[in-house]
Structure formats: C-alpha cells, structure tokens
Amino acid sequence: MEFSFVCARFQKTNATTRLRSYATARSDYSPTILDAALATTAAPTYFSSAAIEGSNFVDGAIGANNPVMHVEEEAADIWCETTGNLMPLVKCFVSIGTGHPGIRSVSDKSLKHLIQTLQKEATETESTNQQFEARWREHMMNGRCFRFNVSNGLEDVKLAEYQEQELIRQATVTYLEKRETIGRVVACAENLRKKEYRPTSYFAKQMIDHEAQPARRPGRVPEVATASEIAELISLGNTNLKTPSALITTAHLLRARHYFSKALHFLRNDSSTSPKQVSRVCQKLTETLLLLSQMTRPLAERKEHADQAQSYGEAALENVVKAGDSCMVAQVEFLLACVTAWKVYLRMKSGEETASGRAGVRVLMDRRLDMLSGYSNLQIDWYEAQAKTYLEYLE
C-alpha cells in the first residue's frame, strides 16, 4: 500500500493538519488530490483558502515549511504505533528542500505581514532540518538518510516570481553538479535501487536487541532469518561497500563487514543455502577487508585485515568449486591473487619480502588474467586495470 499526505493549516485555528490519501483513526477528511493540492498551496494574499468538507485550509508551508517531522511522526504511527521507534525500520529517508529564498520587503501591509511570517518559517525550516539531521545522524553516516537542498542562487527569488523558472533551474543544476552532491545522489540512488525486500518486525526486533545488549550477549545474533531479511543485510552491506571512492571511509567498510558477516552467519545456518550463495558473501567480505586493510593506518591492523580477507577468499573459492562454476572460480582466484599481492606489499613495508616473492606475484597475476580472458562475458579491461594497480604496489 502506498501512503501520501500533505500538510495544510486550518484557517480559523491556525493549526497544522495532514490531508491523507489513506484512512487512519485520526483522519477526519477524505480530500481529492485536487482538494489537497489547493489546500497545501493556498498562500494567503496569493490564493484563496481551500474548502474541504466544510473546513477552510491555507498554505501548509505556514507552520510546516519543512514537513520532515510530520513524515517521521506519520510513519511511526503507521508502522510502529506502539513503540514509535521508527529508525530501525527505515531503509532510506530522503528529504528534499526548495532552496533558501530571501524575500524582499514590500509596502502592502498584509503582504509585509505574510513575508515576515514566511521569513520566520524559512529560518525554522533550517532549524527543523538541523534537529532532524542530529536525530538521524547514524542513518546519514550509513548512507540511509539524505537531505538535498539548493544552497546558493535562490536567495533573491520572491514567492510569486514564477518567471524565474530558468534561474531556479540553473541554480538547481549548479547544485546537482557539485561533486559532493553527485556523491550523495549516487549513494541515495543505489540505496533506493537495491530496496527489494522488507525485513519483518520480528527480525528488526531481534537485531535491535542484539545491538543494544552486547555485554550480556557477546557475539550472539539470531540463529535464523528469512531470505528477504538476509537479502536486506546484503543490500545494507553493498550500500556501504559501494560508497563512491571519494566519500568512502573506514566507518563504511566496518559497517559493510558487520552486515555481510551477519548475512553469512544466517546463510551457514540454513541447510537450503547453496554453496554459490555462501561464496558470493565471502567474496564481499574479502573485498571489504581488502579495502579496509588499505585504508587502515597501523601496519599490524593492515596485516590482520589482509589475513582475514585471505581467509574469506579461500572460503569463497572452496564453495564456488563445490558449485562447479568455472567462471566464478576464475574470478575468485583473481581476487585471491589481489589479496596475495597486497600481503606481499605489506611484508615489503616491514622489510620481510624478497624480490623473488614479488616476481612470483607477477607470474600469479598473469596466470589469473589468462584464465579470465577465456570468458567473453567478463570485462577483461577492468581486471587488467585492477591487476596493474596491485602490481604497482610492488614496484
């Protein structure tokens, strides 16, 4: 079921309400889409109030210019009415602003009063957003909560200047072309694209209990999970692992390892799991730990992560051999060759590696590339670029 609502304000009481497309115990109105649109945009002095079932409504922006709190409260009422604890259930939360318009003063008294009101609301919009971001900061760090808002260029656009559409468009394009914005848009799109399953409330509760009580139940996680719940964990891991290179941090990789490890735990406890499924998650863990080793500073930790990457890579290879997929075997063996090259590099850093060891890695990498070249469905150029990157470490 899809849920949509807009905010509007009762003209007489000045209280904000929600006009919904669905029925709830608190719904007193059943507006059409047209009625709701007229009500939520009925800015005083510009448009007449909108009448719905005997009540008059005015612009929802006066009082809910940034309705993010209303969205949060409404979602909690729908999906977790008893606890109100919405955050564990949210895969992706997107808030889109309308820029920061500065409104000029005018001589008309009623308009001046409206403008002063809207100026106050504009300030409160950013204050509301700051409160929201503070409360949802973990989701924002995890790439599960996003705020998009044009930061510059709209300051001088007045409320009624519809002729400034080109300026609005250009300011928006400029904002979207910023590298920081591009990274967040890509991360948001990737998150939304991979949202294919919904975890059950029971599963969510188990995970919350586990996270909240690590001291009493060290290392303990639920023993079983549904296929959709496992897919959700893998999706969360991928969201962190695939963070754009310019934005990815060790925190992303640690979270990716956390989600992939839990998914692997559940897969191994499910007798119906295929070896190929286990291999894929082990490959994800290998990639994650290899990147983590590269981004970590202390040499001892780098070596530890590299050893873990090799361990998961070997598990991936063992399972894919059972599956009998020769192409996937070649891919996993190439990944293990990359791990080997990185481990040789780390030994070089500590003065443990010899020239013969480096030469052996080059031979190994060439063999793995030869194996991959036999599969026309693979992009061999990508693998060659990866091999070049790792071999350059050994120069």
Side-chain angles (χ1 to χ4, degrees):
M1 180 178 181
E2 302 298 330
F3 299 91
S4 301
F5 75 87
V6 296
C7 291
R9 207 165 178 85
F10 288 111
Q11 187 176 35
K12 288 191 175 181
T13 64
N14 209 31
T16 301
T17 189
R18 300 166 198 161
L19 301 175
R20 303 171 175 87
S21 65
Y22 49 94
T24 72
R26 295 168 297 283
S27 294
D28 294 321
Y29 299 92
S30 301
T32 64
I33 293 176
L34 176 60
D35 288 337
L38 289 173
T40 194
T41 58
T45 75
Y46 290 102
F47 300 106
S48 302
S49 61
I52 300 176
E53 299 173 17
S55 296
N56 290 330
F57 297 88
V58 294
D59 189 2
I62 304 176
N65 202 29
N66 184 344
V68 68
M69 302 298 192
H70 289 272
V71 172
E72 183 179 346
E73 184 178 284
E74 187 76 6
D77 287 344
I78 293 171
W79 285 291
C80 48
E81 185 175 11
T82 303
T83 66
N85 189 13
L86 179 67
M87 291 185 182
L89 305 179
V90 174
K91 173 70 165 63
C92 191
F93 199 144
V94 182
S95 172
I96 300 176
T98 57
H100 302 273
I103 306 174
R104 306 184 192 97
S105 60
V106 294
S107 58
D108 183 271
K109 185 176 180 180
S110 61
L111 276 177
K112 185 174 182 179
H113 174 73
L114 171 64
I115 288 168
Q116 290 172 345
T117 301
L118 290 176
Q119 285 175 326
K120 179 182 177 183
E121 294 298 336
T123 302
E124 290 178 355
T125 294
E126 289 310 305
S127 175
T128 298
N129 181 59
Q130 289 174 12
Q131 294 173 33
F132 169 74
E133 289 188 356
R135 194 167 58 259
W136 287 78
R137 56 184 174 271
E138 183 177 358
H139 277 59
M140 300 194 84
M141 289 177 60
N142 288 348
R144 295 171 62 187
C145 183
F146 302 88
R147 167 73 172 173
F148 299 104
N149 196 23
V150 176
S151 53
N152 300 105
L154 301 180
E155 295 85 353
D156 295 325
V157 178
K158 294 189 294 185
L159 182 64
E161 287 187 343
Y162 62 89
Q163 301 96 332
E164 297 290 355
Q165 290 183 30
E166 185 57 30
L167 172 60
I168 295 170
R169 182 183 296 110
Q170 291 178 13
T172 303
V173 169
T174 300
Y175 170 74
L176 291 173
E177 288 179 345
K178 290 182 178 179
R179 188 159 299 280
E180 178 186 0
T181 308
I182 291 172
R184 289 192 293 117
V185 169
V186 169
C188 180
E190 189 69 10
N191 184 314
L192 292 171
R193 184 180 70 83
K194 292 181 177 179
K195 179 58 180 173
E196 299 174 354
Y197 306 96
R198 295 181 181 179
T200 65
S201 58
Y202 171 72
F203 178 74
K205 183 179 184 303
Q206 285 184 306
M207 301 310 295
I208 294 166
D209 290 344
H210 167 65
E211 295 293 340
Q213 303 176 34
R216 288 199 299 144
R217 301 189 299 173
R220 180 181 172 187
V221 296
E223 294 302 316
V224 295
T226 66
S228 63
E229 290 163 350
I230 294 171
E232 179 74 8
L233 287 170
I234 294 172
S235 176
L236 290 170
N238 281 327
T239 297
N240 282 279
L241 179 59
K242 300 304 181 182
T243 301
S245 57
L247 301 175
I248 196 167
T249 65
T250 55
H252 289 105
L253 296 173
L254 289 171
R255 286 191 291 269
R257 181 181 66 176
H258 171 78
Y259 291 123
F260 289 139
S261 296
K262 285 186 175 179
L264 183 61
H265 168 82
F266 292 131
L267 286 172
R268 284 175 167 168
N269 284 341
D270 186 348
S271 59
S272 66
T273 299
S274 69
K276 189 176 288 189
Q277 287 176 294
V278 174
S279 179
R280 286 196 181 102
V281 178
C282 286
Q283 288 178 62
K284 293 291 184 182
L285 280 163
T286 304
E287 295 173 27
T288 301
L289 286 158
L290 185 55
L291 283 173
L292 195 55
S293 177
Q294 293 166 8
M295 295 187 70
T296 303
R297 291 302 177 191
L299 184 58
E301 289 185 27
R302 298 179 110 185
K303 288 183 176 181
E304 180 182 356
H305 292 318
D307 288 341
Q308 292 171 347
Q310 182 171 357
S311 177
Y312 281 116
E314 290 170 351
L317 181 60
E318 178 184 350
N319 279 276
V320 79
V321 167
K322 291 179 183 177
D325 188 327
S326 60
C327 179
M328 199 169 170
V329 167
Q331 291 173 292
V332 175
E333 288 187 331
F334 175 80
L335 179 58
L336 278 168
C338 293
V339 175
T340 300
W342 178 251
K343 292 185 70 173
V344 168
Y345 166 75
L346 292 179
R347 288 197 293 271
M348 287 171 55
K349 295 286 286 184
S350 57
E352 304 171 24
E353 192 53 56
T354 64
S356 60
R358 297 197 296 273
V361 170
R362 293 188 181 91
V363 172
L364 175 64
M365 196 68 79
D366 287 340
R367 288 176 179 171
R368 298 299 178 243
L369 287 173
D370 285 342
M371 290 177 62
L372 290 167
S373 64
Y375 298 94
S376 59
N377 60 312
L378 299 179
Q379 294 181 334
I380 193 63
D381 291 348
W382 183 87
Y383 289 98
E384 289 175 345
Q386 289 292 303
K388 181 180 178 182
T389 297
Y390 281 97
L391 290 176
E392 284 176 350
Y393 286 121
L394 308 182
E395 297 296 332

